[in-house]
Amino acid sequence: MCGIFGFVSTLERDPEVVLQGLRFLEYRGYDSWGIAVGSNGLVDTDKATGPISDATTNLGRSNIALGHTRWATHGGVTEANAHPHCDCRRRFALIHNGIVENYQDLAGRLGPGHRFLSQTDTEVLVHLLEEEISRQPDLLAALLTVFRQVEGMSAVAVLDAQSGQIALAKNGSPVALGWGEDAIYLASDPSALLEYTHRMTFVEDGQAALLSDSGVVLTDVRTGEIVQPEVRVVTWDTRRAGLDGYAHFMAKEIHEQPAILRHIADRKAQDAAALASLIRDAHDVYLIGCGTAHHAAMSARYLLAEVAGIKSTAAAASEMTLIEPLLDEGSLVVAFSQSGETLDVLEAVRAARQRGAKVAALVNAEGSSLDRFANLTLLLECGVERCVLATKTYTAMVAVMHLVSHLITGDADRGVREVRAAASRVESLLDRETVHGLIKSTARLIVDHQHLFVLGRHRNYPLALEAALKIKEVSYLHAEGFAAGELKHGVIALITNGTPCLILAPDEDYRREALAAAAEVRARGAFTVGFSPRAEAEFDITLPVHGASSAPYEIAGASQLLAYELALLLGCDPDKPRNLAKSVTVK
Ligand code: F6R
């Protein structure tokens, strides 16, 4: 979703710094961008639709600059709608993440004569500020007066070209401040600041800040009282090395999975033990997340039940309303989230805490809102996931829960051994030219079909959902994951001649049912691709996986690669699928 990057510096700096910061936020998903600098008391802006990757700017050097990448909500993808938005006198440039739910109402409070240049919900804020500053000349106080009127979850930042300050306020979207040598930076994603500093202050909801060349003043939005900024040293390894010879981040991140599994096996057992003990002590356990993270939560439910005999409930965080009334002091909510900023997840954990429940989090982004909010955080330590699609973080979430499940039984070594073994198996699967060749030829055989199905039973069911999601997101083919046992209760009506069906059949248990499902669809003309340790009469093609405790990782890797190859065949950009955002910070 929308990205923010800016600075206030004691030195004049090239606005390329802001472009560079925004480029680092590209992976979050955006459709247009804009930057503003202060120049002789007025604001200069540069905006464009489309990619920022090769963009340049003619804006001059300045002590103060603010930029934004927009993911359209109100108003189409146009240059005029790109942020920053300026007041009528071009003293202020304002950017905003989130939604101003009452923007029409706010527009009604403005005096006459304002010239609106966009169709956004945001622009009204800069005109309100323009009026407010004549009543109270202090930038932060004026912004707070405006911000207190805004309904909806938002982060707002405004550059004042006259005073050389940036003021910001937030009650939803993330903002981190970076303490550089000769500049204070702000960004919506702490990882964008690591180029300049590891010393950061995370602005909490309900806080506002004023950045000037003499430092930062942090205040409480409601009371206006000054708050002492807490400086945290972020140790996150962002592994920004780039593509390392891969054509896309998606391919690179898929291939990083064996190393991540080894890292988890070797280094995460202690953190996992803390989560294991919370789960053991809880009288009920809820596993929540969105999209891929939800599928990881579903896989975790099977692991906890099968390995540790622990009953839990897995749910989409956006459906938390059903669970919420059931929570109390004895409950544990485990939130799965790569970004740690997904609004549905944050709202769910806040509601859980209000009911007295404990919150544990599996998060990749260190310093994210979820990381800071949870009673216990388990950092996945996967490095930044730059492809919009989640791949390696899914695997890492499952692996952590694999360790947790064995820790609960008291056999930690077994968990570590199994995750290590999975690393080697995934490595040999991804590196074997023959397997990759087979995946490529499978992609060629199924690419011309508009609809395809992925069938999995029991612990393979969440994997079927996840494989289908990966294919949908990146290739735009219609793929559906189903519990294989449900096939005959409706899905089978969709199978016609040549319909591709991926059958997940890695294990001896439930294999009979998986093969029966394959036979049933094949009898109706389906083209079947088995994920299986051996070829079977029911499969037209077999993608070899070892099975047992390595199966989830092998199936994930193979299906991610299949999705990737389908995207390439269809000319889709695997790293930036249409309409998607890496960090979903709106409802
Ligand atoms: C799928 C994908 C999304 C995310 C979902 C949750 O490839 O990336 O489905 O998994 O938006 O995001 P996080 O994990 O950041 O909460």
Side-chain angles (χ1 to χ4, degrees), residues 289-294 336-342 345 385 387-391 393 397 466 469-470 473 580-584:
C290 296
T292 291
H294 174 218
F336 294 63
S337 177
Q338 182 287 129
S339 63
E341 299 295 352
T342 301
V345 176
E385 195 174 53
C387 174
V388 167
L389 275 79
T391 53
T393 50
M397 286 170 184
E466 177 54 14
L469 180 63
K470 286 289 93 80
E473 297 181 287
L580 294 183
K582 185 73 184 161
S583 181
V584 184

Side-chain angles (χ1 to χ4, degrees), residues 514-529:
L515 294 182
E520 283 160 14
V521 290
R522 212 152 174 262
R524 277 131 190 114
F527 175 78
T528 53
V529 180

Side-chain angles (χ1 to χ4, degrees), residues 129-150:
L129 182 69
E130 181 181 1
E131 290 191 358
E132 194 54 40
I133 205 83
S134 60
R135 290 190 277 273
Q136 42 184 342
D138 180 80
L139 178 67
L140 187 58
L143 180 69
L144 284 182
T145 304
V146 173
F147 189 71
R148 288 186 193 117
Q149 301 173 55
V150 173

Side-chain angles (χ1 to χ4, degrees), residues 372-431:
R372 303 197 310 281
F373 182 84
N375 301 97
L376 172 78
T377 296
L378 242 144
L379 289 172
L380 299 173
E381 296 175 5
C382 293
V384 175
E385 195 174 53
R386 306 229 13 205
C387 174
V388 167
L389 275 79
T391 53
K392 58 180 179 174
T393 50
Y394 169 79
T395 302
M397 286 170 184
V398 176
V400 165
M401 292 308 293
H402 195 142
L403 292 187
V404 167
S405 306
H406 284 288
L407 277 153
I408 293 172
T409 66
D411 192 356
D413 288 350
R414 180 163 172 196
V416 170
R417 256 194 334 269
E418 288 186 355
V419 173
R420 261 202 214 120
S424 306
R425 286 180 170 169
V426 174
E427 192 161 57
S428 84
L429 181 139
L430 293 175
D431 290 352

Side-chain angles (χ1 to χ4, degrees), residues 287-289 291-305 312-316 336 394 398 401 458-466 483:
L287 313 166
I288 63 162
T292 291
H294 174 218
H295 297 156
M298 290 174 72
S299 291
R301 180 176 178 225
Y302 283 92
L303 277 165
L304 286 176
S312 63
T313 302
F336 294 63
Y394 169 79
V398 176
M401 292 308 293
H458 194 74
R459 65 182 86 90
N460 299 309
Y461 170 47
L463 282 159
L465 297 178
E466 177 54 14

Side-chain angles (χ1 to χ4, degrees), residues 570-584:
L570 290 163
C572 306
D573 179 349
D575 286 342
K576 296 188 197 95
R578 71 180 176 215
N579 302 338
L580 294 183
K582 185 73 184 161
S583 181
V584 184

Side-chain angles (χ1 to χ4, degrees), residues 182-202:
D182 42 38
I184 308 280
Y185 300 89
L186 72 155
S188 48
D189 185 331
S191 55
L193 299 172
L194 291 168
E195 179 89 7
Y196 304 100
T197 180
H198 283 253
R199 296 180 66 237
M200 295 181 200
T201 293
F202 295 97

